[in-house]
Amino acid sequence: MKIKVDKSLGKLLLISTFTSMKFFLIYTLGILMIGCNYNRYDNSREILKTKERNTARIKDSISSYIITKLKGNYTPYSFNELVINKPTLFYDLDTLYLERKLLVRNKAKSKVNYDSSLSVVNGEIALKKQEINKSKLYHTYDMIHIYTLENALKVTTLYENKFSYYPNYKLKDVSTLFSTELSLEEKDLFDYFSLQSPLYESGNPAVDMEVNNDLYNRFNYALENEVNNKDKLFHTILHFVKYIRQYNDLNTEKIAEELVDIWLYDHDLSATVFKPSFGELTEVKDDNDEIIGYTMLVTNKKESNIKSMLFNFDLNLVILKTEMH
């Protein structure tokens, strides 16, 4: 699924995609197999069943690892599709195995010398195995899992981890792609977000479905494609979820103001030190007249050495930097 991205926040914002794996190619023996149509053989169901079994086994292993090895109250959210990392030689070997299976299955119909043909395929399989063993190659399984752990102090941390497994399903490696602490309110917001529950309600089911699907597609796309500021983006998106649910609206100017208030609070600039008066949310464009971000000038109503602050946002309203004047 491809989504056309409109980078203008005024027309909504943000943006998911994950591609699925497909494999295989059948080639015939160098011998003409009269009466055997290999192309009609469909091996996809067997491949799917094998992948389903592997997926279930890896999921169980991941959950078991987290429960037994990591400390905290574990809540699973999502498991991504199982990814099988195979060297090219393994795909060659799979093709040879398929050829042998087809040869045996069509033995009665084949008009060529069955024993000779089988010997040729077995010889090619043996040589391919030797090549793989000599190169010390093996395949691995990868799966990304999103979950939370709550520690003894009731602090909840969200994790996006990639788990890698050897062919024998032994854990090879665990790497953290993303992690961040969640407040109690953010935990509730993330629960709602993870279920892709309705954010906007107009009373028209068709309109609501279209708007909500578009919002979640944009949010998910933004998270999947963010590299440098994923932590900030994640918390910004949760604030979007909170705002839309509370006001049944998407007012980017008001959301930007609330994000500024949060920034001031987090940086110990209370209303007694810096009482904000918000300017307009202004588009920032590049030389090609493309919107690349936003700015907002916020002046101080209090007497202070800080007269004003310029907030710089990216396209997703993540605060990138501030300039004090």
Side-chain angles (χ1 to χ4, degrees), residues 240-255:
F240 268 90
V241 172
K242 176 184 176 181
Y243 186 93
I244 298 170
R245 290 185 65 195
Q246 183 175 355
Y247 298 104
N248 202 35
D249 186 25
L250 182 60
N251 187 321
T252 53
E253 190 112 4
K254 291 296 183 182
I255 292 174

Side-chain angles (χ1 to χ4, degrees), residues 11-24:
K11 295 181 181 178
L12 269 176
L13 41 74
L14 318 158
I15 337 192
S16 168
T17 253
F18 215 84
T19 54
S20 58
M21 282 182 54
K22 218 176 183 185
F23 109 91
F24 101 20

Side-chain angles (χ1 to χ4, degrees), residues 79-134:
F79 293 89
N80 282 16
E81 184 178 0
L82 180 68
V83 176
I84 305 174
N85 304 303
K86 277 189 176 184
T88 304
L89 290 178
F90 278 89
Y91 288 99
D92 296 341
L93 183 60
D94 288 341
T95 303
L96 290 171
Y97 279 135
L98 177 59
E99 286 187 6
R100 184 170 66 182
K101 187 171 186 176
L102 292 173
L103 183 64
V104 173
R105 174 169 294 188
N106 290 281
K107 177 180 179 181
K109 299 178 183 178
S110 178
K111 295 181 180 180
V112 298
N113 190 312
Y114 171 77
D115 293 334
S116 174
S117 300
L118 184 62
S119 177
V120 170
V121 178
N122 284 335
E124 291 183 1
I125 289 174
L127 289 174
K128 192 63 65 177
K129 282 183 175 180
Q130 288 178 11
E131 189 177 357
I132 290 172
N133 291 333
K134 185 177 180 180

Side-chain angles (χ1 to χ4, degrees), residues 274 297-298 304-310 322-325:
F274 193 100
L297 182 63
V298 183
S304 170
N305 60 336
I306 304 175
K307 304 300 181 184
S308 65
M309 297 182 68
L310 182 67
T322 57
E323 301 171 25
M324 295 185 181
H325 302 283

Side-chain angles (χ1 to χ4, degrees), residues 69-211:
K69 300 294 184 181
L70 305 181
K71 295 181 180 180
N73 185 19
Y74 164 58
T75 303
Y77 282 90
S78 67
F79 293 89
N80 282 16
E81 184 178 0
L82 180 68
V83 176
I84 305 174
N85 304 303
K86 277 189 176 184
T88 304
L89 290 178
F90 278 89
Y91 288 99
D92 296 341
L93 183 60
D94 288 341
T95 303
L96 290 171
Y97 279 135
L98 177 59
E99 286 187 6
R100 184 170 66 182
K101 187 171 186 176
L102 292 173
L103 183 64
V104 173
R105 174 169 294 188
N106 290 281
K107 177 180 179 181
K109 299 178 183 178
S110 178
K111 295 181 180 180
V112 298
N113 190 312
Y114 171 77
D115 293 334
S116 174
S117 300
L118 184 62
S119 177
V120 170
V121 178
N122 284 335
E124 291 183 1
I125 289 174
L127 289 174
K128 192 63 65 177
K129 282 183 175 180
Q130 288 178 11
E131 189 177 357
I132 290 172
N133 291 333
K134 185 177 180 180
S135 302
K136 297 181 179 180
L137 299 175
Y138 57 86
H139 67 270
T140 58
Y141 301 110
D142 287 343
M143 182 176 284
I144 295 174
H145 180 36
I146 297 175
Y147 63 97
T148 59
L149 282 177
E150 181 186 70
N151 65 19
L153 300 176
K154 301 299 182 181
V155 176
T156 299
T157 303
L158 173 73
Y159 294 94
E160 181 182 17
N161 284 359
K162 182 170 78 171
F163 294 80
S164 298
Y165 284 82
Y166 290 108
N168 62 355
Y169 304 101
K170 182 179 179 181
L171 185 62
K172 179 176 183 287
D173 183 54
V174 181
S175 57
T176 299
L177 306 179
F178 171 70
S179 67
T180 188
E181 287 188 8
L182 302 178
S183 66
L184 289 176
E185 182 183 40
E186 287 179 325
K187 173 65 165 57
D188 290 338
L189 289 169
F190 180 66
D191 287 341
Y192 197 87
F193 175 84
S194 66
L195 294 173
Q196 309 285 276
S197 300
L199 299 173
Y200 175 77
E201 296 180 8
S202 68
N204 185 324
V207 171
D208 293 348
M209 181 178 293
E210 183 178 354
V211 172

